[in-house]
Amino acid sequence: MNILPQFCRSNATVNYSILNRFKPANIYRFFCLSLSRDDWYNVRITLDELKRTSGGKSVSSFNKKFEEYLDIKPYFVDNGFYYPTRRNIYHIPAMEEQCITISNKFALIELDAAIKGFFIQLLLLSQYGNIELIKKNIIKAIRIDKKTYDKYIIELAGADLVSITTPLTLYTENILLENDFSKQKKLSTKKVNKIVEIDDNGNIIIPK
């Protein structure tokens, strides 16, 4: 069962430029991470919290794969132990002109993370791919093999997210929202990871 984070945004944006940068499961995990962003598009959650939101297998490799894309920086929390607890700040990229906005309701659909990431890729293609959503075009655009494509499409059809028509029909009601660039990230005069702060549990955050 997927669980929305405690301080969850109603939606998150995904840029078209991410389409082929990561595997589908990690694209979906990025969406889940973005649901916890603050007004400056920074995220402070643990990998365990990310796993609870995104479901599925271990997310232990997430930081390694996203360290450049999310400009991950460490900070340290004084939990009363001899050594402060290390946490990470994730910096969500700004909204690009070609992006989509997805409702947090999408996170509650019980499907594998890879299949939901694939659906996000289909949404991106439907908006900006400039291709007809047929099997051969999709396979070429997102570099997926035919067997995996067939598996994912059947699962999406079973969840009433697609109809296997020619071209594909995507069902996006209450999932795909209008982009609102007025909600774009705020500019900060200081790097957030260098500021002494108090987290939501009252713990002191010690800058590196």
Side-chain angles (χ1 to χ4, degrees):
M1 180 178 178
N2 299 341
I3 302 173
L4 291 176
Q6 184 178 3
F7 301 101
C8 182
R9 296 282 180 162
S10 62
N11 59 67
T13 57
V14 180
N15 292 327
Y16 180 68
S17 62
I18 205 175
L19 181 71
N20 285 316
R21 187 157 183 170
F22 304 102
K23 292 183 178 180
N26 279 328
I27 290 177
Y28 175 66
R29 289 173 185 135
F30 164 76
F31 160 74
C32 290
L33 183 84
S34 299
L35 290 174
S36 296
R37 71 193 183 280
D38 61 20
D39 288 343
W40 293 268
Y41 276 43
N42 299 306
V43 176
R44 296 180 187 85
I45 64 172
T46 66
L47 290 179
D48 284 341
E49 290 168 328
L50 177 60
K51 183 179 180 180
R52 285 196 294 271
T53 304
S54 61
K57 301 177 181 179
S58 171
V59 296
S60 59
S61 65
F62 182 86
N63 286 352
K64 181 64 177 177
K65 293 182 183 298
F66 278 85
E67 60 184 351
E68 180 180 346
Y69 187 75
L70 295 176
D71 186 25
I72 302 172
K73 304 291 185 183
Y75 69 95
F76 296 85
V77 177
D78 185 355
N79 284 326
F81 300 110
Y82 184 79
Y83 293 106
T85 302
R86 177 184 168 123
R87 296 281 182 83
N88 292 300
I89 297 177
Y90 304 87
H91 303 280
I92 304 299
M95 294 170 65
E96 298 172 356
E97 183 178 351
Q98 293 185 323
C99 68
I100 58 174
T101 301
I102 303 172
S103 168
N104 64 12
K105 295 177 182 178
F106 184 57
L108 298 177
I109 297 174
E110 293 297 326
L111 284 173
D112 184 80
I115 296 170
K116 289 203 274 189
F118 174 64
F119 187 68
I120 292 175
Q121 289 177 307
L122 292 179
L123 293 175
L124 290 168
L125 287 175
S126 72
Q127 297 295 307
Y128 306 110
N130 196 29
I131 61 170
E132 188 178 25
L133 288 184
I134 60 176
K135 182 174 180 177
K136 67 176 183 179
N137 290 346
I138 296 168
I139 287 174
K140 181 179 180 180
I142 64 177
R143 303 166 195 166
I144 190 173
D145 64 79
K146 295 180 181 179
K147 184 177 180 180
T148 302
Y149 172 90
D150 290 339
K151 175 185 175 182
Y152 289 178
I153 286 295
I154 290 171
E155 292 284 344
L156 290 173
D160 296 323
L161 290 174
V162 306
S163 282
I164 307 176
T165 53
T166 305
L168 281 179
T169 302
L170 309 183
Y171 296 109
T172 63
E173 186 177 1
N174 298 320
I175 295 176
L176 186 63
L177 308 176
E178 292 291 329
N179 292 333
D180 185 356
F181 286 89
S182 69
K183 303 294 185 182
Q184 179 59 282
K185 65 193 299 186
K186 296 179 181 179
L187 297 176
S188 177
T189 56
K190 297 181 180 179
K191 289 187 177 181
V192 68
N193 60 302
K194 294 297 183 181
I195 303 173
V196 176
E197 298 178 285
I198 305 295
D199 70 12
D200 297 319
N201 297 317
N203 298 312
I204 298 173
I205 299 173
I206 304 172
K208 186 179 178 183

